[in-house]
Amino acid sequence: MWLSIYFVSLILLIPVTIIGLNRTSEKRIAQFLILDRIVYLIMATAMIVLMIRTFMHAPWLVSLKFLLGVLVIVIIEIAFGRKQEHSLSIAWSIGITLFILITAAVDIVLTLHSI
């Protein structure tokens, strides 16, 4: 159950972040930021439960997965902060999208490997 919640929230995090970073209205950006925070809080909760259950089997992989998850959250918060202060460049938007996609792929592989 927790693994399903984690994967669904990870998959939902990608389009919510991309759509939110491509909005132009301040109100829409704030709405997607709130939605993004809800999704990654659900993801973080599921990740912590999975970490508790799988840490004994693969401590290095679980620790790496945790660090990647925290890094994604920090990058998303920085990106939305820059977007709210001023316009986010296309290069930044593409870079953040690629980073989240690569991190999600690595995270899925590490999760499946640590179970």
Side-chain angles (χ1 to χ4, degrees):
M1 180 179 97
W2 287 105
L3 189 60
S4 299
I5 292 171
Y6 176 74
F7 282 147
V8 167
S9 62
L10 183 63
I11 291 169
L12 280 176
L13 185 69
I14 295 166
V16 169
T17 303
I18 292 170
I19 293 169
L21 290 176
N22 289 321
R23 300 293 106 189
T24 55
S25 166
E26 287 289 326
K27 184 178 179 181
R28 292 288 179 200
I29 293 169
Q31 288 173 344
F32 275 95
L33 177 59
I34 291 169
L35 186 59
D36 216 13
R37 286 179 177 163
I38 291 170
V39 170
Y40 73 63
L41 284 175
I42 293 170
M43 183 186 80
T45 304
M47 182 173 49
I48 289 171
V49 171
L50 289 171
M51 278 183 56
I52 291 170
R53 294 182 180 180
T54 59
F55 188 77
M56 293 304 218
H57 301 292
W60 290 105
L61 292 178
V62 172
S63 299
L64 179 63
K65 186 174 83 102
F66 177 74
L67 289 174
L68 286 174
V70 170
L71 190 61
V72 165
I73 291 171
V74 168
I75 294 291
I76 288 171
E77 286 295 323
I78 290 171
F80 272 103
R82 288 186 68 142
K83 180 70 176 180
Q84 286 178 333
E85 287 178 8
H86 47 58
S87 149
L88 193 65
S89 70
I90 294 173
W92 249 90
S93 184
I94 291 172
I96 290 168
T97 303
L98 288 176
F99 178 76
I100 292 172
L101 288 173
I102 291 169
T103 304
V106 169
D107 207 16
I108 289 171
V109 169
L110 290 177
T111 300
L112 293 176
H113 219 39
S114 65
I115 293 177

